[in-house]
Amino acid sequence: MELAYIPSPSHGVLHLGPIPLRGYAFCIIIGVFLAVWLGNKRWIARGGRTGTVADIAVWAVPFGLVGGRLYHVITDYQLYFSEGRDWVDAFKIWQGGLGIWGAIALGALGAWIGCRRRGIPLPAWADAVAPGIAFAQACGRWGNWFNQELYGRATDLPWALHITSSTDGRVPGYYHPTFLYESLWCVGVGFLVIWADRRFKLGHGRAFALYVAAYCVGRGWIEYMRVDDAHHILGLRLNDWTAMVVFLLAVVYIVISSRLRPGREEIVEPRADEDAPAAGDETASAEDAADKAADKTEGETGDKAEAESGREGKGEDGTEGDSVDLGKETATESATSSESAASSETVTSSESAGSAAEAESEKESGEESEAGSGARSGARDEAGSAKKG
């Protein structure tokens, strides 16, 4: 008995009343949404419009599902058309059975139709969605875990997959989880494409070709480990041969495309440039509206503050106003008193000056009178002396 292993779910479907919720379908749906989301981000970064990837995916996804199912039914026809089989099961896609080769081939046809309707180049769109497709495959492989399918040889490794179902020729036991190997490989492929695209500016479909080539390398050795029934050619499983052929085609495309069309497309969606000014105008209008709203809010806040200050200061103005008026009256009275005092001092000074002047005048008159009297007395004395002599 294995002490460590990956358990398999006992059921691949849950019932919500009469509605079945199948794990396989959920894994595919999650993968599709992931691919569209990442592809949209990469498309916008290259100058495309928002929503273009999703619009084209409306064409690519249904075509891809049909192509994947057709490839599986054609290459494993004995499961549906041999004796004792029901051919109606070929339409039960929820039971598993999608060939990635058919999904990519017919999905590319659907994408070409969508791109043609939008007037954009298919290689540029394929470059944008390439890593997203790899991540979608990584999610989709977990649907095989819900269905207990696509496992490898028996093993005793700690990460062995425990198969419990015995339907359709399964033998319960512990096997290599090849679904997990491929899921992890696809995650690595997705990151490889993102890194190489940023490093080398891949364009004209070369990022998508790199995804195809890298996936084929992993699919080759993983396919070799699988033990489910498959057609063999010269000792190799059919999918191994398919992986080798597709790998060579992808490498040849990368080499030839690099020589004929070096670099990356400068314009991937011409109409995207026409939408840019409109978007800028809308952004500017929104900013202007925000500024006006902010100014209005600030003005209203200032008015309210002033009104509140006025109401608070109104009660204080009564007391302060009386004090101011009283101070004004006191200042006026002081000024009047000062002026009166100055006038009095001026009058007194004038009177004192007049009295002093009069006293000096009288003194001078007295001196002159005395001088005149002395002179007259001297003259009389001289005259008397002369008469005597």
Side-chain angles (χ1 to χ4, degrees), residues 35-365:
V36 172
W37 172 78
L38 181 58
N40 183 66
K41 289 178 65 68
R42 287 172 52 81
W43 183 252
I44 294 173
R46 289 197 173 195
R49 300 171 61 186
T50 302
T52 298
V53 170
D55 292 343
I56 297 175
V58 171
W59 289 88
V61 173
F63 274 74
L65 291 175
V66 173
R69 188 61 176 177
L70 284 176
Y71 182 88
H72 168 73
V73 171
I74 292 173
T75 55
D76 292 315
Y77 61 88
Q78 70 279 0
L79 299 177
Y80 307 101
F81 301 104
S82 60
E83 186 178 356
R85 298 285 184 171
D86 187 359
W87 62 273
V88 177
D89 292 340
F91 298 96
K92 297 179 180 179
I93 191 174
W94 55 87
Q95 293 182 353
L98 290 174
I100 184 61
W101 314 112
I104 294 296
L106 212 57
L109 175 60
W112 176 79
I113 296 173
C115 289
R116 187 177 179 83
R117 291 170 60 89
R118 294 295 295 264
I120 64 176
L122 174 61
W125 184 85
D127 286 340
V129 300
I133 294 176
F135 293 138
Q137 285 182 256
C139 294
R141 279 307 176 194
W142 283 89
N144 302 130
W145 175 67
F146 282 101
N147 290 345
Q148 296 195 37
E149 58 188 6
L150 301 187
Y151 47 87
R153 303 186 186 97
T155 182
D156 57 356
L157 292 172
W159 56 85
L161 176 65
H162 186 200
I163 297 297
T164 58
S165 175
S166 58
T167 59
D168 295 330
R170 296 184 182 89
V171 178
Y174 301 91
Y175 301 91
H176 277 285
T178 52
F179 83 91
L180 177 60
Y181 299 160
E182 187 168 340
S183 178
L184 296 176
W185 183 268
C186 288
V187 171
V189 170
F191 284 115
L192 172 65
V193 174
I194 292 175
W195 171 82
D197 191 26
R198 292 177 178 176
R199 176 66 177 80
F200 302 105
K201 303 297 182 182
L202 301 177
H204 301 285
R206 288 188 289 275
F208 184 81
L210 175 62
Y211 145 72
V212 172
Y215 171 75
C216 289
V217 173
R219 180 61 184 266
W221 66 267
I222 294 172
E223 185 73 19
Y224 185 76
M225 297 177 65
R226 286 168 54 173
V227 295
D228 53 307
D229 293 335
H231 296 286
H232 288 72
I233 300 175
L234 299 178
L236 290 177
R237 294 166 66 94
L238 175 61
N239 284 330
D240 279 325
W241 288 104
T242 304
M244 287 189 288
V245 172
V246 175
F247 170 80
L248 291 175
L249 292 175
V251 172
V252 170
Y253 178 86
I254 292 175
V255 174
I256 295 177
S257 176
S258 299
R259 294 179 178 178
L260 297 179
R261 295 182 177 181
R264 178 186 287 178
E265 302 92 338
E266 295 182 359
I267 299 176
V268 296
E269 192 170 3
R271 286 177 293 181
D273 296 336
E274 299 175 1
D275 294 343
D281 294 341
E282 292 178 358
T283 303
S285 299
E287 293 178 354
D288 293 341
D291 293 339
K292 291 180 180 179
D295 294 339
K296 184 177 180 181
T297 303
E298 292 177 358
E300 292 177 352
T301 304
D303 294 341
K304 291 180 179 179
E306 292 178 359
E308 291 177 358
S309 300
R311 287 195 297 269
E312 292 176 356
K314 187 174 182 180
E316 300 175 356
D317 287 345
T319 305
E320 292 180 356
D322 294 340
S323 300
V324 171
D325 293 340
L326 181 59
K328 287 182 179 180
E329 292 176 358
T330 305
T332 303
E333 292 176 356
S334 300
T336 304
S337 301
S338 299
E339 291 177 356
S340 300
S343 300
S344 301
E345 291 177 357
T346 303
V347 171
T348 305
S349 299
S350 300
E351 292 176 352
S352 299
S355 300
E358 291 178 354
E360 289 180 358
S361 298
E362 291 178 356
K363 184 178 181 181
E364 290 178 356
S365 300

